Amino acid sequence: MTKNAVRAHSGAPLALDKHTPRAAYQQTDLSLLAPYMLLMMMRNVTSNGFVLEDPTNPGQYSLPGCVIAAPSFPANTPGVDQNYVFNWVRDAAITAIEIAAARLPVMIEGVGVETLNNYVKFAKICQDNATPTMGHACYTITGHARPWSEQNDGPGIQSIAMMQAYSQLDDEAKGIARDVIGKNIAYLLDVYKDPTTNLWEEHVSQTFFARSIHLRCFRDFSKNELGMDVPDGVASAIKWLETEIPNHWNGWCYVTMLSPDGPPGTSVMADDVGYDPNIDIVSAAVYGGVPVTDTKVLATAGHMRRLWADPASDCVYPINVEDQTRGIGPLMGRYPGDTYDGDVAHPVRGGHPWPLCTANFAELYYMLAREIHRTGKIPLDDLSREFFAQVGVSNEASPAAAVAALHEAGDMMLRAVVFHSDHYELSEQYDGTSGFEKSVRDLTWSYAAFLSALRAKNAPMPKAAKAPAAKPKLKVVEKPAEKAPAKAAAKTTSKAKTKA
């Protein structure tokens, strides 16, 4: 049953007693959706046998390994004036990470996964054609630079993807990957301190997301198993980023765009623009090097959820209030002052929720649950209190209870994504009032984000930390009736072992 059919029940929560069938979205086993979402995503990845034609340049055909952002362009998507039939470096890398995680079958021994081999080779073509810098973000389906912005997180997340895919590449692709990664690292060592275009391609400054990606990239590369030497400067870059990222804290949230001229926590964006809190802080924790246990990240996330889910908020999405009656959601957007809905000619302030933003937020819940299980500690303080209260976790909650609550919160978000999808097809956005899909259709990143969240949900839990063992009570030794020799006094010892 699709969302359209389920909407006949939207006036009140669906009954769940044994006499009333549950709706489709209530029966869906989230853990089993990965193969379907993977197939949906793979429709946007070209190969030798699956070829696309450039909609604006007839006669120009895709090279293998191109990952288009979406098959939408104005002529085939009414109400949308954007063309997404291009290869964005960031989107392609996030997609490649999920392809690598899927462990696709190898048809011929020793040749690796063809899709990943193609991805690496196409990335090399784009890198060779990069202009004006290696941070160029967007390429045609033939691997030529399209006039667009420079986004320095791209080479970082591309390198992360290739390191994760490396064991599934053939020998030729491995050599190409090492070449691409080496050039990326050299480039990033020159620019990681510089301003760059932010995640949403709207402003240039010191961006939280790019810094987090750079931090993870340098960390991963510093312990790489690709046989590549780690150049001088990587260790100092890691230390510098670890010092600078906290400067984005303004006292109540991490600002996404830090002013290079102001004191710590000063956004380059005016308050009335509504650019903070921004979901890219959550995305930075999912894809980058900022820990999900950072209570400043959790504080920022808590503010976002309240803005879009609390009926008393001026920014609430009406569909989230309606979804509360279904026991699903909430859906998450980009930032409160958003105006983009696929049609830049007619901006509407407030924006709409995005499947990828919702999936990233769900993944934050799952990743945090895993860390709480591993450490036996809930990172609950004055900063993160609202975040945990939103899912029913208080000071009295046990780690096990917090893990269960966080998983349930993540599931509710993913169920909202499923419910508002069209037979599991995911567009870029959902309408904030009606909940129906809008903007460009079949966004590759939407599928990749959903798959990433499912991986976090289904990942085997690490070995839990053991609570310190209680010290055994001293054994009381009864005095014998007869007089004991003075030197035969009993000695009692106790040892308690603690394992972190």
Side-chain angles (χ1 to χ4, degrees):
M1 182 160 59
T2 67
K3 174 186 68 176
N4 293 358
V6 175
R7 282 198 178 281
H9 302 282
S10 64
L14 292 171
L16 296 179
D17 61 54
K18 63 182 180 180
H19 303 294
T20 305
R22 294 183 302 159
Y25 74 92
Q26 294 167 320
Q27 298 182 50
T28 298
D29 186 337
L30 293 171
S31 298
L32 300 180
L33 288 182
Y36 302 97
M37 292 299 183
L38 179 65
L39 287 172
M40 298 286 198
M41 184 182 75
M42 293 297 291
R43 295 180 304 174
N44 293 342
V45 183
T46 65
S47 68
N48 284 304
F50 177 51
V51 180
L52 301 175
E53 185 174 17
D54 190 326
T56 60
N57 292 286
Q60 294 292 311
Y61 299 99
S62 60
L63 297 178
C66 171
V67 181
I68 60 169
S72 280
F73 52 95
N76 74 352
T77 313
V80 173
D81 59 7
Q82 300 297 291
N83 181 1
Y84 274 36
V85 187
F86 292 100
N87 180 100
W88 268 265
V89 175
R90 180 197 307 113
D91 298 41
I94 289 171
T95 303
I97 288 171
E98 296 313 310
I99 295 173
R103 307 296 300 187
L104 297 179
V106 176
M107 299 304 180
I108 303 175
E109 189 67 28
V111 301
V113 175
E114 181 183 12
T115 305
L116 293 173
N117 292 335
N118 290 339
Y119 164 72
V120 168
K121 294 172 184 177
F122 186 80
K124 170 63 173 172
I125 292 171
C126 294
Q127 187 186 68
D128 289 345
N129 290 332
T131 183
T133 77
M134 279 180 51
H136 196 69
C138 192
Y139 295 83
T140 68
I141 60 176
T142 58
H144 291 87
R146 169 206 185 188
W148 207 250
S149 55
E150 309 305 295
Q151 300 171 34
N152 291 339
D153 60 277
I157 200 165
Q158 182 184 76
S159 299
I160 293 169
M162 288 189 182
M163 283 186 273
Q164 293 194 11
Y166 189 79
S167 64
Q168 299 179 60
L169 303 176
D170 65 18
D171 290 342
E172 179 187 8
K174 284 180 178 178
I176 295 172
R178 288 194 297 270
D179 183 47
V180 171
I181 293 170
K183 290 179 179 177
N184 282 343
I185 295 296
Y187 169 75
L188 291 177
L189 286 174
D190 283 339
V191 303
Y192 73 89
K193 293 183 180 181
D194 298 341
T196 190
T197 307
N198 74 327
L199 176 62
W200 307 123
E201 305 183 322
E202 296 166 325
H203 305 283
V204 175
S205 190
Q206 305 288 0
T207 79
F208 190 94
F209 183 84
R211 285 176 161 182
S212 180
I213 292 296
H214 293 162
L215 178 58
R216 179 180 174 184
C217 177
F218 286 139
R219 284 174 175 167
D220 288 0
F221 187 74
S222 69
K223 52 187 178 183
N224 80 85
E225 298 180 355
L226 284 60
M228 297 182 66
D229 294 333
V230 180
D232 294 338
V234 169
S236 60
I238 292 172
K239 291 180 180 178
W240 187 87
L241 289 163
E242 289 173 343
T243 300
E244 289 297 315
I245 288 175
N247 288 332
H248 285 254
W249 179 249
N250 70 359
W252 67 278
C253 77
Y254 275 129
V255 297
T256 177
M257 303 287 293
L258 188 66
S259 171
D261 303 319
T266 303
S267 175
V268 74
M269 308 297 297
D271 290 342
D272 59 2
V273 175
Y275 219 66
D276 293 299
N278 197 302
I279 198 73
D280 69 2
I281 304 301
V282 172
S283 299
V286 169
Y287 298 117
V290 178
V292 296
T293 52
D294 181 347
T295 56
K296 296 181 177 68
V297 168
L298 303 184
T300 309
H303 290 313
M304 278 184 280
R305 176 167 174 146
R306 174 173 47 79
L307 283 173
W308 291 316
D310 186 345
S313 169
D314 293 337
C315 301
V316 66
Y317 295 131
I319 192 60
N320 281 338
V321 179
E322 185 178 336
D323 279 350
Q324 287 178 13
T325 67
R326 303 186 179 99
I328 60 175
L331 297 167
M332 309 301 286
R334 298 195 302 174
Y335 53 91
D338 200 358
T339 61
Y340 174 67
D341 66 356
D343 180 3
V344 297
H346 302 91
V348 177
R349 185 174 173 84
H352 300 276
W354 291 43
L356 77 88
C357 296
T358 307
N360 278 178
F361 206 107
E363 185 164 355
L364 175 69
Y365 282 139
Y366 297 136
M367 293 173 69
L368 180 58
R370 182 179 175 84
E371 283 302 296
I372 291 173
H373 177 84
R374 184 182 67 82
T375 64
K377 298 177 181 179
I378 305 173
L380 200 164
D381 59 16
D382 288 341
L383 296 176
S384 62
R385 197 171 308 283
E386 178 183 24
F387 173 88
F388 281 108
Q390 289 166 347
V391 298
V393 175
S394 66
N395 286 345
E396 291 72 34
S398 67
V403 168
L406 290 165
H407 265 268
E408 176 62 19
D411 289 355
M412 289 173 68
M413 286 189 168
L414 293 189
R415 288 190 186 282
V417 173
V418 170
F419 174 75
H420 292 290
S421 72
D422 186 0
H423 293 285
Y424 302 114
E425 292 187 356
L426 302 179
S427 61
E428 183 181 63
Q429 302 175 42
Y430 295 132
D431 188 280
T433 299
S434 71
F436 285 93
E437 299 197 83
K438 68 183 293 104
S439 192
V440 301
R441 59 187 176 87
D442 288 309
L443 190 77
T444 314
W445 192 354
S446 293
Y447 297 116
F450 197 96
L451 285 165
S452 184
L454 284 183
R455 285 196 296 111
K457 168 182 169 61
N458 297 332
M461 282 291 185
K463 187 175 181 180
K466 290 183 179 179
K471 289 185 178 182
K473 293 181 179 179
L474 294 177
K475 185 177 179 182
V476 178
V477 180
E478 295 283 347
K479 251 189 178 182
E482 63 274 16
K483 186 176 180 181
K487 292 186 179 180
K491 292 184 180 181
T492 308
T493 62
S494 69
K495 293 182 181 179
K497 295 182 179 179
T498 302
K499 186 176 181 181

